Amino acid sequence: MAKKSQWTLVGKRKLELSNLEKVLFPEDGVTKAEIIEYYLKIAPTLLQHIKGRALTLIRFPDGIHGENFYQKNRPEWAPDWLEFVKLGKEEKKDYIIATEPASLVWLANLASLELHQLHSRKPDFEHPDYMVFDLDPPEGYDFPKIVALALDLRTFIESFGYTCFVKTTGGKGIHICCPLEPKWDFHTVFEAAQAIALPFTERFPKETTLHIKKEARKGRVLIDIFRIRSGQSIVSPYSLRGRIGAPVSMPLTWDELTLVKNPREFNINNAVDK
DNA sequence: GGTTGCT
DNA sequence: AGCAACCAACGCCAA
DNA sequence: TTGGCG
Ligand SMILES: [Mn+2]
Ligand SMILES: [Mn+2]
């Protein structure tokens, strides 16, 4: 592997990219160059979804089998054009905001395979603009069974007057997102989600639970509403995941979701076309 | 992955 | 110039 | 305060 770096122009930004031929997904032979290329191609779509959102990165500098770590803080040595917002305790952290294709390329060069997002948008970081229901299946759960549960949950949520959008997580689960006016704080939105999820788990007690502890779940699907808190994040739509197959969190219509047998159908090789 | 500090 | 060390999240709850 | 959890 040639460990050189090379300069490139993305829009009006000059970027130094390193180790472009380094393989970060060994089973799939996917190099850092291909990851950067993916994020460049998906940029017009992805940027719309993460516009104004504070990001959390998951970086895999030594590939998906090497050490990985979350990163929320924008490093001191980031380029001055990379936008950020001070958030968190005492506004201690400079959260990154991606505003242009070059932002995504800069992040990809750091091996930020996964982009996760907070639930609020600039300029109103105190008020989430969606309510998310994160379906977390136990090990070995058949994906079509999660799909069936998601369809039921959708009907249930919409009976409360919300509209539901859905995406695969790129892992084993599903995210249901309900757009909101950024008018209520995190606690209020959490309680609204709880007021929906609790009766849902009571209707399907054998299949679903609100217990986050593994021991208490007993093979049931966790309806994880506990992401709805300030400083918490979910994987962004169209983000890669650091797993074998280079899967992508893929937004789908409900009709499309019905046909999905395996969420690994959506990956770095086909996500751009969709 | 990038930076800093030591040899 | 080369190399080793160091750093890179957070919120909540039960124990 | 720590450990488990996503
Ligand atoms: Mn999940
Ligand atoms: Mn390294």
Side-chain angles (χ1 to χ4, degrees):
Chain A
M1 168 203 336
K3 186 200 174 274
K4 14 192 309 306
S5 56
Q6 95 185 34
W7 288 88
T8 186
L9 192 63
V10 181
K12 53 181 170 179
R13 314 301 186 187
K14 199 106 158 64
L15 291 174
E16 185 177 13
L17 305 179
S18 63
N19 302 321
L20 287 174
E21 295 312 308
K22 186 166 181 176
V23 176
L24 298 184
F25 292 86
E27 290 79 1
D28 307 286
V30 175
T31 63
K32 201 162 86 173
E34 294 172 293
I35 291 155
I36 291 169
E37 182 182 18
Y38 168 74
Y39 277 113
L40 256 183
K41 285 188 181 160
I42 206 71
T45 304
L46 173 54
L47 285 170
Q48 289 194 249
H49 281 91
I50 64 179
K51 181 176 184 181
R53 296 192 188 283
L55 298 177
T56 296
L57 321 172
I58 306 184
R59 295 179 49 195
F60 298 75
D62 295 311
I64 64 171
H65 302 299
E67 266 190 37
N68 68 81
F69 54 91
Y70 280 73
Q71 182 165 343
K72 288 177 181 287
N73 200 43
R74 171 188 187 271
E76 283 304 319
W77 38 266
D80 54 3
W81 49 261
L82 187 72
E83 199 175 303
F84 65 96
V85 57
K86 291 186 175 302
L87 292 176
K89 258 191 170 68
E90 301 175 25
E91 307 194 326
K92 239 11 188 166
K93 238 80 185 176
D94 292 345
Y95 280 79
I96 293 166
I97 297 176
T99 57
E100 55 181 302
S103 311
L104 300 177
V105 172
W106 188 82
L107 294 171
N109 182 58
L110 294 184
S112 307
L113 298 186
E114 302 195 13
L115 302 183
H116 294 231
Q117 63 187 24
L118 302 199
H119 312 313
S120 56
R121 271 186 206 264
K122 178 181 178 179
D124 192 352
F125 293 100
E126 299 306 312
H127 300 118
D129 68 347
Y130 57 84
M131 173 170 60
V132 61
F133 297 81
D134 170 19
L135 280 60
D136 287 334
E139 205 62 32
Y141 207 83
D142 204 30
F143 195 74
K145 287 176 65 185
I146 291 281
V147 170
L149 272 176
L151 295 172
D152 283 334
L153 181 54
R154 176 208 183 185
T155 303
F156 200 81
I157 296 169
E158 292 197 333
S159 75
F160 287 77
Y162 299 97
T163 300
C164 296
F165 293 84
V166 69
K167 64 187 185 73
T168 65
T169 64
K172 298 174 173 191
I174 288 177
H175 286 160
I176 298 177
C177 292
C178 312
L180 296 175
E181 286 180 64
K183 187 171 167 179
W184 299 277
D185 64 20
F186 281 90
H187 180 70
T188 303
V189 174
F190 171 78
E191 300 222 301
Q194 192 174 45
I196 297 168
L198 184 57
F200 184 78
T201 58
E202 286 165 352
R203 179 179 293 191
F204 299 99
K206 291 298 154 226
E207 295 88 359
T208 65
T209 179
L210 288 181
H211 289 299
I212 198 162
K213 294 286 186 212
K214 296 264 197 195
E215 186 276 333
R217 286 192 220 166
K218 305 206 153 75
R220 297 122 97 201
V221 174
L222 170 62
I223 310 296
D224 185 359
I225 53 177
F226 308 103
R227 296 317 94 214
I228 310 176
R229 315 214 110 123
S230 88
Q232 296 302 97
S233 60
I234 60 169
V235 66
S236 294
Y238 302 102
S239 171
L240 292 173
R241 303 308 302 267
R243 299 161 170 262
I244 292 174
V248 164
S249 176
M250 177 61 63
L252 298 170
T253 67
W254 287 97
D255 282 343
E256 289 169 331
L257 180 69
T258 308
L259 306 175
V260 178
K261 304 295 190 297
N262 188 322
R264 287 169 63 167
E265 292 171 29
F266 308 102
N267 57 63
I268 192 172
N269 297 309
N270 56 34
V272 174
D273 310 322
K274 249 225 69 190

